[in-house]
Amino acid sequence: MTFQSILDEIDNNLKKILSDLSISDVQFSVEPAKPGFGDVSSNISFLLAKQLKKSPKDIAQLLSEKYSHCTNTLVLKSESHPSGYLNFYANWDKLNQLIISESYLETCGDVDIGNGSTMVVEHTSVNPNKALHIGHIRNIVIGDTISRILQKANYKVNVLNYVDDSGLQVADIIVGFKHFGYDQEPPDGKKFDHYCGDDVYVKTTEKYDADSSLEEIRKDVLKELEDGDSETAMFADKITRRVLEAQLETCWNLGVTYDCLNFESQIIRSGLWNKIFEKLKEMNLVEFENEGKNSGCWVIRGEDKEEDKVIVRSNGTATYIAKDIPYAAWKLGLLEDPFNYEKYVPEQPHSRVLWQTTLNKTNPISKDFTGEKVVTVIDSRQSRLQKIITSLMGKFKSVPDAYNHLGYESVTLSSDTAKTLGLDTDGKQAQMSGRKGLYVNADSVYDILKEKTKDETKKRHSEMSTSEIDSIAHSVSVGTLRYEMIKQDLDKIITFDLTKSLSLEGDTAPYIQYTHARASRIIEKSGRTPTIDVDFSLLTEKSELDLIKNIGLFNLQVRDATNNLSPKVIARYCYDLAVSFNSFYEKSKVLDLGDVELENSRLCLVNSFKIVLEKALDLLGINAPDRM
RNA sequence: GGGCCCAUAGCUCAGCAUGGAUAGAGUGCCGGACUUCUAAUCCGAUGGUCAAGGGAUCGAAGCCCUUUGGGCCCGCCA
């Protein structure tokens, strides 16, 4: 139970004291203390002030006195602070041992919030007509990190990627290939997704802008796509799957994997829409409009008339949001599954099997990728639509908070970076646009980062083999990219600047990874295998205790991140942990002390840090190299 | 016109959910530390009317209201 143990002990004792005083229903806090105020703090005195008609300071004194009579194993003493806080000092001899030996266990950092229940996490969900850009990467990294955290919190997680392989964006590249003569093979061995996005898509849409009569071709193609058996649809399927494969390469390279790919085209053809539409009608959640601007349409009622949302057009076809409703219901397991499943080829790395839906009835395999709860990662521009879906799902499923939209702000380009792409924004940041070709794609950011980190590594280790340098540079580049996407709050816009993103100092992944390498190096140089069979009472330096305390907070942070679906909590934790290790590193030498007992105790601590940091970084999908 | 989000140090951000102690980091600028377990590091200095105003509270960066500035969304497009 790590640091939680001392919190629980204090919590229980305080509750006992309150019940002796015949006071109940006080929701006081017991938290790790701010530096300089002991080890644990409680705000209990403030909350009692009114009831007891005494100042917080006096109450703290009273409680502190009473606390000294409680049974304590982990608390050394309590102390009332003049401000009114009640502070506690830990019995570090015991807490050291507890925290460090716990950290050596496989289960370290695990918390049980999910109780083994299933959770669907859907992320990525990009049109397969272009390469992933830096904005998509935010989505992907948030989704992947959240699913790793949820697993740590004992959820069984099904990760889905909704392949949006129908609609206009796909139609546009098909028009490019079939009508504007783009070769199916990219020139100069360009990656296929880059080719489709940079060349075919951008230039095809440019042609529409120049000649509006071409819109007719576009509409015809779109119509042909809807008929799954048409030659156009089959061609489109071939193209979008090639793009998808290239996109997945990018994801896999960043350490992101999935359980199942769901194809929008198949959801449309599966007939799920009709089923859910009947259900909506039965439950009176949709209404047919006889008059007004939406006359002849089926709508979902909003708060007022202006917010009514059309889901079936007057020509009988379903709108964009309508396609999302059956998929959301399917994810929650509310519909009979119309799909069969087959393994996706090529194989996904890290021996995680990737499945895909199919409507093919030969050799049917059934699978269950639904969940009791769902997290859908989509940027907050979709909040309005997601709110409608959330509310509908709330009516279908009684589990509270079954459907969750995890929104996040977009990634924009700094004016400098926009300028290098040929857009003068007059000093303002710019929204990315796939259509206009105004984006920074993820592969090139990775490549640039990797070149830089290779150079940095070579500078430090002239003796290293090329493959080792390559492997370190890969870990550091992926780490840097992922960390930048995750370290700040979801509701903050990220202004991406190509130059600034190359920074490898300060609050960055390389900083954290470097501390890990330092720890590894100490253990390697010692030539010993660290064990927990050491004298923990030798660890008394402030920097040592701070580090141990941070190590002991791991599971508390996982809990926080899970409850708030907040990946940045883990990013901050990794950083704090690294900072406290660096402080320890500066102040306490580990090797060549001439005191084997002390060396072993510190070595044990170094290894404890290394283990926990590796686990925490793993939640962020970041590797921790032993050397860099 | 309606709705959502943001505003804290020159810049980028923590802290806000659950009000309480001295508002913290990184970066930048200035200065210092590598014959030492890796300097992708560390130490010091500089830097704040927590956008503005009001309210409730013993107490507000945090809660409520108003205002200002910025971003996004509001189609029988997807």
Side-chain angles (χ1 to χ4, degrees):
Chain A
M1 281 298 280
T2 65
F3 200 80
Q4 186 73 46
S5 313
I6 186 172
L7 298 180
D8 290 346
E9 179 177 310
I10 293 168
D11 191 63
N12 285 330
N13 280 333
L14 287 177
K15 277 184 182 143
K16 221 171 280 170
I17 292 172
L18 286 187
S19 91
D20 289 348
L21 293 168
S22 318
I23 300 168
S24 58
D25 287 338
V26 181
Q27 297 292 316
F28 57 87
S29 71
V30 176
E31 291 169 334
K34 288 210 279 188
F37 297 102
D39 299 307
V40 178
S41 301
S42 174
N43 66 353
I44 187 165
S45 326
F46 297 110
L47 305 177
L48 292 174
K50 210 171 243 179
Q51 200 176 140
L52 298 181
K53 296 205 165 65
K54 285 183 182 171
S55 75
K57 184 184 162 196
D58 292 343
I59 297 170
Q61 265 169 9
L62 173 84
L63 291 175
S64 176
E65 201 279 321
K66 288 206 179 292
Y67 200 92
S68 61
H69 303 299
C70 292
T71 341
N72 282 304
T73 50
L74 298 173
V75 174
L76 207 57
K77 60 167 180 158
S78 64
E79 187 180 84
S80 66
H81 188 272
S83 66
Y85 269 105
L86 188 56
N87 296 330
F88 300 87
Y89 291 81
N91 179 348
W92 280 106
D93 287 2
K94 286 185 182 158
L95 203 53
N96 283 350
Q97 177 166 18
L98 198 72
I99 289 175
I100 295 177
S101 35
E102 182 100 15
S103 72
Y104 277 65
L105 299 177
E106 199 45 53
T107 55
C108 162
D110 288 6
V111 293
D112 186 6
I113 297 173
N115 196 19
S117 62
T118 55
M119 178 86 88
V120 164
V121 176
E122 182 213 320
H123 65 81
T124 308
S125 306
V126 182
N127 286 111
N129 73 327
K130 56 175 171 285
L132 301 175
H133 63 55
I134 193 73
H136 298 127
I137 298 305
R138 188 174 192 182
N139 179 301
I140 293 166
V141 173
I142 290 168
D144 186 62
T145 306
I146 277 293
S147 55
R148 287 164 186 260
I149 292 168
L150 290 173
Q151 261 169 57
K152 193 84 179 150
N154 198 23
Y155 283 95
K156 185 187 173 308
V157 181
N158 287 322
V159 181
L160 307 182
N161 177 358
Y162 179 76
V163 183
D164 199 351
D165 62 342
S166 54
L168 270 184
Q169 296 212 22
V170 169
D172 286 341
I173 58 166
I174 301 308
V175 169
F177 282 117
K178 295 198 64 137
H179 298 273
F180 299 157
Y182 281 97
D183 199 311
Q184 283 182 51
E185 291 313 313
D188 332 316
K190 199 171 181 180
K191 204 162 161 254
F192 193 66
D193 53 344
H194 292 207
Y195 170 59
C196 287
D198 298 347
D199 302 321
V200 185
Y201 183 47
V202 170
K203 284 169 194 154
T204 299
T205 51
E206 269 171 17
K207 287 190 184 174
Y208 296 144
D209 293 341
D211 180 357
S212 57
S213 68
L214 297 171
E215 291 281 344
E216 286 305 314
I217 300 178
R218 193 188 194 195
K219 274 185 195 156
D220 291 343
V221 168
L222 190 59
K223 200 177 279 174
E224 287 170 52
L225 284 180
E226 277 167 22
D227 173 9
D229 297 325
S230 71
E231 189 265 327
T232 304
M234 278 152 74
F235 176 73
D237 191 64
K238 203 175 89 188
I239 295 291
T240 53
R241 279 175 183 271
R242 277 183 75 185
V243 176
L244 173 65
E245 188 181 327
Q247 290 178 338
L248 286 174
E249 258 175 50
T250 305
C251 301
W252 293 342
N253 187 46
L254 297 177
V256 177
T257 51
Y258 309 85
D259 293 305
C260 186
L261 304 171
N262 298 55
F263 294 84
E264 183 178 70
S265 57
Q266 293 176 16
I267 291 183
I268 292 170
R269 276 173 239 150
S270 69
L272 279 182
W273 163 246
N274 289 330
K275 286 185 191 163
I276 203 80
F277 188 40
E278 287 311 311
K279 206 163 173 174
L280 287 168
K281 284 194 268 195
E282 273 168 38
M283 294 174 74
N284 287 321
L285 294 171
V286 290
E287 287 176 41
F288 189 75
E289 194 71 84
N290 284 307
E291 55 191 19
K293 60 170 183 165
N294 295 332
S295 179
C297 302
W298 288 87
V299 301
I300 294 174
R301 290 271 177 248
E303 298 269 311
D304 67 83
K305 205 81 177 163
E306 287 303 306
E307 287 182 29
D308 287 356
K309 190 75 211 163
V310 172
I311 64 164
V312 176
R313 305 184 184 96
S314 52
N315 68 6
T317 57
T319 58
Y320 169 71
I321 181 175
K323 290 178 200 161
D324 264 9
I325 298 170
Y327 180 47
W330 176 90
K331 284 190 282 189
L332 282 166
L334 298 171
L335 297 167
E336 197 188 326
D337 193 355
F339 301 116
N340 289 310
Y341 296 86
E342 58 190 19
K343 286 187 183 173
Y344 182 79
V345 182
E347 258 178 49
Q348 190 166 243
H350 308 111
S351 54
R352 181 172 185 172
V353 179
L354 176 59
W355 294 86
Q356 59 181 335
T357 56
T358 173
L359 291 171
N360 193 336
K361 293 276 193 288
T362 57
N363 193 18
I365 300 175
S366 66
K367 284 266 158 194
D368 184 1
F369 291 109
T370 67
E372 286 158 58
K373 290 189 176 187
V374 168
V375 174
T376 303
V377 184
I378 314 184
D379 78 77
S380 47
R381 284 175 293 201
Q382 301 254 21
S383 291
R384 189 177 285 258
L385 293 182
Q386 284 295 312
K387 210 175 145 191
I388 295 173
I389 307 238
T390 305
S391 140
L392 282 179
M393 293 307 125
K395 284 166 185 158
F396 287 158
K397 188 152 180 166
S398 52
V399 179
D401 305 323
Y403 188 91
N404 300 281
H405 168 215
L406 187 61
Y408 59 91
E409 273 295 344
S410 50
V411 180
T412 62
L413 298 176
S414 73
S415 64
D416 286 348
T417 299
K419 202 173 261 173
T420 64
L421 296 171
L423 183 80
D424 198 335
T425 58
D426 200 21
K428 285 187 177 173
Q429 50 182 250
Q431 292 285 331
M432 275 185 277
S433 161
R435 207 185 134 98
K436 291 179 194 151
L438 187 64
Y439 51 82
V440 176
N441 69 57
D443 292 326
S444 35
V445 174
Y446 169 83
D447 290 343
I448 294 168
L449 269 171
K450 192 161 175 188
E451 277 313 305
K452 165 134 183 177
T453 50
K454 259 188 194 172
D455 288 349
E456 295 290 326
T457 313
K458 268 185 213 158
K459 240 190 267 170
R460 291 166 174 81
H461 304 282
S462 51
E463 81 292 354
M464 261 188 197
S465 70
T466 325
S467 69
E468 197 176 354
I469 287 177
D470 194 78
S471 145
I472 291 168
H474 172 72
S475 296
V476 175
S477 326
V478 170
T480 303
L481 192 50
R482 292 191 63 135
Y483 192 75
E484 289 310 303
M485 289 293 122
I486 209 80
K487 74 171 176 185
Q488 60 192 247
D489 211 73
L490 300 179
D491 53 23
K492 287 275 195 324
I493 295 167
I494 293 180
T495 305
F496 184 81
D497 185 279
L498 203 46
T499 312
K500 286 183 184 157
S501 74
L502 295 178
S503 157
L504 308 173
E505 284 159 21
D507 185 7
T508 63
Y511 171 89
I512 300 167
Q513 290 169 312
Y514 181 72
T515 21
H516 177 270
R518 277 180 148 182
S520 298
R521 189 68 174 148
I522 292 175
I523 295 168
E524 187 193 324
K525 275 224 162 164
S526 77
R528 295 168 232 175
T529 307
T531 71
I532 52 168
D533 186 20
V534 299
D535 186 351
F536 291 103
S537 68
L538 298 177
L539 301 173
T540 54
E541 298 281 335
K542 189 178 172 302
S543 62
E544 290 165 342
L545 300 182
D546 280 348
L547 178 57
I548 295 168
K549 190 170 175 178
N550 266 319
I551 289 170
L553 291 177
F554 186 27
N555 58 347
L556 294 167
Q557 303 287 341
V558 174
R559 186 173 290 280
D560 185 3
T562 305
N563 288 334
N564 297 305
L565 292 178
S566 180
K568 70 149 192 269
V569 169
I570 303 298
R572 300 215 69 79
Y573 175 63
C574 288
Y575 179 70
D576 290 343
L577 200 55
V579 168
S580 60
F581 181 81
N582 277 324
S583 166
F584 160 81
Y585 187 92
E586 293 295 324
K587 287 174 189 134
S588 312
K589 229 172 157 312
V590 178
L591 303 178
D592 305 323
L593 298 172
D595 178 348
V596 180
E597 292 292 308
L598 182 58
E599 282 177 22
N600 283 340
S601 295
R602 287 188 176 163
L603 207 55
C604 171
L605 172 58
V606 170
N607 195 42
S608 171
F609 160 77
K610 180 171 141 75
I611 293 169
V612 172
L613 184 65
E614 269 170 29
K615 288 198 152 94
L617 281 175
D618 185 56
L619 293 179
L620 303 180
I622 298 177
N623 276 332
D626 286 323
R627 302 185 68 188
M628 61 183 276

